[in-house]
């Protein structure tokens, strides 16, 4: 598989690997196509993602997109994070091989799940 | 350091092979069918090569024809046998771990009305001889079962399979691309009717192979044209390629197999010391140069890429690196557990592989698996 330099670089030196301690929300999704799995945990303060980490079992593309999505939304608002799509992530990476596009779904979906989890916890607390 | 451990895919052409080939590019470049001196020199080289290779498998020279490689031999043997026996029946027996060159040829024949039974294999990747026997019907015209598997290296008892086929009056084809020069092949003793060989897996050049067709076995040709190769395969002979293939066969030696087997076992023992690892396929009935291992909770392509960064070249049987995203049909067939099936790599040695290279590989592999496991949500 031929990946671009940016993808390879992130795969080799991924940012934000791990689990956020005392997370405000956690999202885990599996890729139905290949069975790979990604988990994102976030810490939110004043509607902003102040910390975010990932753990991924997946291919080169999955690990690179995981890393990229965490960087894209760190410090950003919840509203912004919810708008990030897999295409945005792939674009930011300078493109992915066509058959690897589905791998980028993992990252965007896991982020959404993490935000949803945060929001549902918040509702409970607010009540 | 560059360490090539993908010899199941292709091998380094031995420099002695290249040297043997050279004159047939630049000096004796005549067509082997021409009546002049250059043509005769080419013909002589082709026939000498034919006798070297046929001798290696216990065949007569006129029972061996040259092809463009393993894929063509598989296609020609299976389609040729099917079409030649269409009035006898339309049933073929194979296994569910065949190489795509066989598998997709059978799928093609199914689309043309042939019926194929795909035998299951056990967790070692071996077909059950009893199941094979009971799959034979009075419509069965061909059994095609590979000698050694390209992914997990399982080696079938082809003598037993051949004996059954012969006693039931069914043709037996075996894909010997991976096993050639590494396992004994004796077409008489093993009751083989048709077999496929490829040069580039044994340190010969790419794009050349051979097919054994037992005397008296009639198959229809795939390629029509001039009367080359006993009217069984038209096309101007790839003289230099054929010479290189024969040289590669001459250079093969049982002593290399002993060395490879020892190195393979050394590598397997050390890889299995890594946490959450498993060997896919058989310990005993295994090709001398094949290792296929899985690691739990990580993905094969990620392992492959990290190894490649360190100069180590392997392949993966897992979904993510191949062109399709489907899991390996071979790993599925031997029931590799679901949490292991994605994390598989195939490591295939050659006679050029050194212990130093294996030590380096194991060292890097330990580190890579640890790093990727720490990154995994199934983390250890
Ligand atoms: C078992 C098996 N059969 C057939 C082939 C195809 O051979 P070739 O590459 O010469 O077409 C290969 C090689 O990939 C193989 O491993
Ligand atoms: S995430 Fe499985 S193939 Fe990329």
């Amino acid at each position: 598989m031929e990946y671009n330099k940016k993808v390879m670089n992130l795969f080799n030196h991924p940012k934000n690997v791990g689990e956020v301690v005392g997370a405000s929300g956690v999202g885990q999704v599996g890729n139905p196509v290949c069975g790979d799995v990604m988990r994102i945990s976030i810490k939110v303060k004043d509607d902003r993602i102040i910390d975010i980490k990932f753990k991924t079992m997946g291919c080169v593309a999955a690990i690179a997109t995981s890393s990229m999505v965490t960087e894209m939304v760190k410090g950003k608002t919840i509203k912004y994070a919810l708008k990030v799509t897999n295409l945005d992530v792939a674009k930011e990476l300078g493109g992915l091989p066509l058959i690897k596009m589905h791998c980028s779904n993992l990252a965007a979906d896991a982020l959404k799940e993490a935000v949803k989890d945060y929001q549902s916890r918040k509702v409970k607390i607010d009540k | 350091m560059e360490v090539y451990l993908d010899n199941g895919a292709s091998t380094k052409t031995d420099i002695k092979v290249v040297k043997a080939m050279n004159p047939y590019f630049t000096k004796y470049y005549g067509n082997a069918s021409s009546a002049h001196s250059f043509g005769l020199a080419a013909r002589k080289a082709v026939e000498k090569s034919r006798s070297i290779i046929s001798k290696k498998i216990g065949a007569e020279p006129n029972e061996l024809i040259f092809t463009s490689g393993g894929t063509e031999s598989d296609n020609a043997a299976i389609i040729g046998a099917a079409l030649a026996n269409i009035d006898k029946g339309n049933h073929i027996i194979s296994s569910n771990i065949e190489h795509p060159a066989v598998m997709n040829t059978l799928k093609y024949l199914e689309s043309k009305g042939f019926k194929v039974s795909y035998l299951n294999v056990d967790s070692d990747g071996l077909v059950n001889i009893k199941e094979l026997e009971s799959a034979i019907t009075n419509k069965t015209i061909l059994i095609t079962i590979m000698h050694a598997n390209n992914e997990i290296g399982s080696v079938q008892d082809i003598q037993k399979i051949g004996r059954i086929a012969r006693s039931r009056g069914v043709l037996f084809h075996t894909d010997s691309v991976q096993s050639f020069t590494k396992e004994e092949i004796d077409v008489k003793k093993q009751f083989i009717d048709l077999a496929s060989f490829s040069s580039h897996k044994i340190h010969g050049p790419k794009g050349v192979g051979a097919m054994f067709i037992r005397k008296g076995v009639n198959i229809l040709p795939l390629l029509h044209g001039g009367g080359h190769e006993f009217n069984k395969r038209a096309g101007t002979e790839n003289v230099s390629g054929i010479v290189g293939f024969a040289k590669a066969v001459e250079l093969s030696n049982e002593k290399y197999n002993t060395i490879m087997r020892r190195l393979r076992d050394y590598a397997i023992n050390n890889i299995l010391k890594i946490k959450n690892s498993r060997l896919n396929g058989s310990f005993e009935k295994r090709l001398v140069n094949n290792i296929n291992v899985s690691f739990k909770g990580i993905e094969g392509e990620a392992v492959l890429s990290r190894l490649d960064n360190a100069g180590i070249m392997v392949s993966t049987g897992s979904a993510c690196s191949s062109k399709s995203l489907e899991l390996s049909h071979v790993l599925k067939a031997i029931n590799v557990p679901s949490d292991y099936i994605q994390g598989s790599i195939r490591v295939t040695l050659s006679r050029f592989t050194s212990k130093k290279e294996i030590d380096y590989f194991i060292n890097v592999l330990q580190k890579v698996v640890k790093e990727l496991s720490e990154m995994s949500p199934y983390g250890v």
Side-chain angles (χ1 to χ4, degrees):
Chain A
M1 192 72 44
E2 184 97 45
Y3 293 105
N4 70 38
K5 268 214 182 91
K6 198 162 179 183
V7 173
M8 279 317 286
N9 201 23
L10 274 184
F11 164 69
N12 286 322
H13 310 284
K15 309 273 167 15
N16 305 319
V17 178
E19 316 255 9
V20 172
V21 188
S24 335
V26 179
Q28 179 163 327
V29 293
N31 189 327
V33 183
C34 63
D36 291 343
V37 179
M38 174 177 184
R39 179 155 75 219
I40 281 189
S41 52
I42 54 174
K43 195 171 184 82
V44 182
K45 200 174 168 213
D46 301 330
D47 255 12
R48 253 174 217 284
I49 297 175
I50 55 166
D51 200 6
I52 177 165
K53 285 196 181 338
F54 79 90
K55 281 208 156 185
T56 293
M57 175 210 158
C59 65
V60 172
I63 288 172
T65 47
S66 304
S67 174
M68 180 51 86
V69 83
T70 60
E71 285 188 277
M72 283 168 75
V73 302
K74 197 168 183 174
K76 297 283 180 356
T77 63
I78 286 295
K79 208 172 126 202
Y80 177 89
L82 281 172
K83 280 203 204 120
V84 172
T85 68
N86 73 316
L87 291 177
D88 296 333
V89 184
K91 203 168 145 202
E92 199 65 29
L93 283 167
L96 283 171
L98 204 56
I99 71 154
K100 289 289 177 175
M101 280 305 290
H102 77 99
C103 315
S104 60
N105 289 336
L106 271 189
D109 290 351
L111 174 62
K112 285 205 175 70
E113 288 300 315
V115 171
K116 258 198 246 163
D117 182 42
Y118 156 72
Q119 285 170 333
S120 70
R121 289 192 205 182
K122 195 165 155 249
V123 171
K124 276 186 207 137
I125 296 165
D126 288 351
K127 271 183 194 162
Chain B
M1 184 144 138
E2 271 179 357
V3 179
Y4 184 78
L5 296 173
D6 196 15
N7 292 283
S10 198
T11 58
K12 168 175 171 171
T13 313
D14 193 309
I15 189 67
K16 293 192 191 86
V17 167
V18 176
K19 285 199 178 123
M21 291 171 73
N22 267 334
Y24 297 93
F25 288 113
T26 51
K27 199 153 181 242
Y28 307 115
Y29 46 78
N31 187 316
S33 300
S34 298
H36 48 61
S37 337
F38 281 9
L40 294 176
R43 170 57 53 201
K44 208 171 144 192
V46 168
E47 296 315 320
K48 188 177 163 217
S49 303
R50 199 189 306 280
S51 69
I52 291 167
I53 301 172
S54 55
K55 200 166 157 205
K56 183 84 182 171
I57 59 169
E60 300 300 319
N62 61 3
E63 293 179 306
L64 193 87
I65 67 169
F66 291 110
T67 66
S68 66
T71 302
E72 185 191 324
S73 298
D74 284 340
N75 273 261
I78 295 168
I79 297 172
L83 295 184
N85 290 286
I86 210 154
D87 51 340
K88 292 200 191 111
N90 67 345
H91 181 234
I92 300 171
I93 299 170
S94 188
S95 81
N96 63 353
I97 58 164
E98 297 297 314
H99 187 273
V102 167
M103 202 59 108
N104 289 333
T105 300
L106 293 172
K107 295 269 179 275
Y108 167 73
L109 286 177
E110 282 183 282
S111 78
K112 300 289 177 200
F114 286 89
K115 300 271 176 284
V116 183
S117 305
Y118 299 93
L119 300 176
N120 290 321
V121 294
D122 62 17
S123 59
D124 277 351
L126 302 171
V127 298
N128 183 310
I129 301 293
K130 290 231 161 58
E131 268 174 47
L132 169 72
E133 272 190 293
S134 52
I136 300 174
T137 72
N138 58 5
K139 287 258 190 302
T140 309
I141 51 175
L142 174 70
I143 294 170
T144 174
I145 290 176
M146 71 199 315
H147 191 185
N149 182 269
N150 48 301
E151 288 189 39
I152 54 169
S154 52
V155 180
Q156 309 292 338
D157 188 339
I158 54 169
Q159 186 176 12
K160 268 199 185 135
I161 298 170
R163 181 178 284 127
I164 289 165
R166 188 69 52 89
S167 73
R168 301 287 293 268
V170 176
L171 290 178
F172 173 43
H173 165 254
T174 188
D175 176 334
S176 311
V177 168
Q178 291 286 340
S179 60
F180 192 33
T181 72
K182 299 192 179 70
E183 287 287 326
E184 188 197 12
I185 298 170
D186 181 330
V187 293
K188 292 203 176 70
K189 196 169 112 189
Q190 293 162 330
F191 308 100
I192 298 170
D193 296 303
L194 298 157
S196 307
F197 306 96
S198 180
S199 149
H200 73 103
K201 311 283 187 187
I202 62 162
H203 307 289
K206 293 168 182 62
V208 56
M211 169 167 54
F212 162 73
I213 311 171
R214 187 167 68 85
K215 201 179 285 164
V217 170
N218 179 38
I219 67 169
L220 296 189
L222 216 55
L223 302 186
H224 305 270
H228 313 86
E229 298 296 293
F230 320 116
N231 282 319
K232 287 175 178 150
R233 197 270 186 188
T236 299
E237 294 86 348
N238 173 2
V239 180
S240 54
I242 289 167
V243 167
F245 186 11
K247 188 70 192 178
V249 171
E250 271 187 326
L251 290 169
S252 70
N253 190 316
E254 189 50 36
K255 75 172 185 237
Y256 297 130
N257 293 335
T258 311
I259 297 168
M260 277 190 280
R261 189 179 294 113
R262 207 177 296 140
L263 206 50
R264 175 200 71 185
D265 290 342
Y266 171 76
I268 290 176
N269 286 334
N270 279 287
I271 295 168
L272 291 182
K273 283 184 194 151
I274 298 174
K275 222 159 70 177
N276 292 316
S277 60
R278 61 164 269 147
L279 180 72
N280 299 318
S282 171
F283 267 103
E284 280 93 34
K285 302 247 157 60
R286 187 174 203 104
L287 215 52
V288 292
N289 70 333
N290 175 288
I291 301 169
N292 188 311
V293 281
S294 282
F295 304 97
K296 188 176 169 178
I298 61 177
E299 210 276 317
E301 192 206 34
V303 180
L304 179 149
S305 291
R306 289 271 171 113
L307 289 174
D308 195 29
N309 289 341
I312 300 162
M313 290 163 262
V314 301
S315 77
T316 158
S318 85
C320 304
S321 72
S322 65
K323 294 216 169 58
S324 85
L325 291 163
E326 270 161 47
L327 291 170
S328 148
H329 69 289
V330 178
L331 296 184
K332 275 199 278 194
I334 62 167
N335 283 320
V336 174
S338 61
D339 45 352
Y340 277 94
I341 197 161
Q342 273 143 285
S344 85
I345 56 166
R346 181 188 71 170
V347 180
T348 39
L349 321 183
S350 84
R351 61 179 159 89
F352 294 113
T353 308
S354 68
K355 171 147 187 304
K356 202 172 136 213
E357 289 177 323
I358 292 295
D359 282 332
Y360 173 66
F361 159 66
I362 291 165
N363 217 324
V364 176
L365 182 69
Q366 283 167 341
K367 189 170 137 265
V368 164
V369 171
K370 185 167 175 282
E371 285 168 1
L372 291 173
S373 297
E374 282 165 2
M375 213 187 285
S376 166
Y378 303 121
V380 269

